[in-house]
Structures are given as structure tokens and as C-alpha cells.
């Protein structure tokens, strides 16, 4: 399973910055989330292949 992340501090940081910086921070965190999901999917595929082999 994907672990739940603590976002309270991050949200507070983004709320208190200027809009350009906020955009950059959100883009960076979004990339991190996408990367995490991709890695998780690859792990799941590998586990399924291992289970399928006799």
C-alpha cells in the first residue's frame, strides 16, 4: 500500500508564500507523487509476475 504522507506542514508552507513559489512547490510535490505511484505500480507488476510463475 501507499503510505499516507503528513501534509499539514507542507500546506501551511505553501499557503504562506508568494504565488510563483507556491506553483513551483506544488509542481515539485506533484512530480514526487507521480514518481511514487509509478514505482508502486512497477512493484505490483513484479509481484504479480512472480506469483504467476510456477
Amino acid at each position: 500500500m501507499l503510505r499516507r504522507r503528513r501534509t499539514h506542514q507542507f500546506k501551511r508552507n505553501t499557503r504562506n508564500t508568494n504565488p510563483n513559489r507556491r506553483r513551483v512547490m506544488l509542481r515539485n510535490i506533484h512530480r514526487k507523487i507521480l514518481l511514487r505511484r509509478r514505482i508502486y505500480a512497477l512493484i505490483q507488476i513484479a509481484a504479480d509476475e512472480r506469483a504467476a510463475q510456477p
Side-chain angles (χ1 to χ4, degrees):
M1 276 300 291
L2 289 173
R3 274 195 344 226
R4 223 177 124 205
R5 304 286 162 148
R6 294 186 184 95
T7 59
H8 180 258
Q9 184 180 3
F10 171 75
K11 286 181 178 177
R12 193 177 63 230
N13 288 343
T14 53
R15 207 174 293 132
N16 296 330
T17 61
N18 56 339
N20 286 334
R21 182 70 189 137
R22 188 177 303 140
R23 238 173 268 127
V24 169
M25 291 174 81
L26 287 173
R27 192 176 70 213
N28 289 344
I29 198 77
H30 189 62
R31 282 183 186 165
K32 206 170 179 183
I33 291 168
L34 292 180
L35 180 66
R36 203 164 66 232
R37 283 184 181 170
R38 196 177 312 138
I39 291 171
Y40 178 74
L42 288 173
I43 291 170
Q44 292 299 104
I45 291 170
D48 290 347
E49 286 175 355
R50 245 183 274 128
Q53 291 174 353

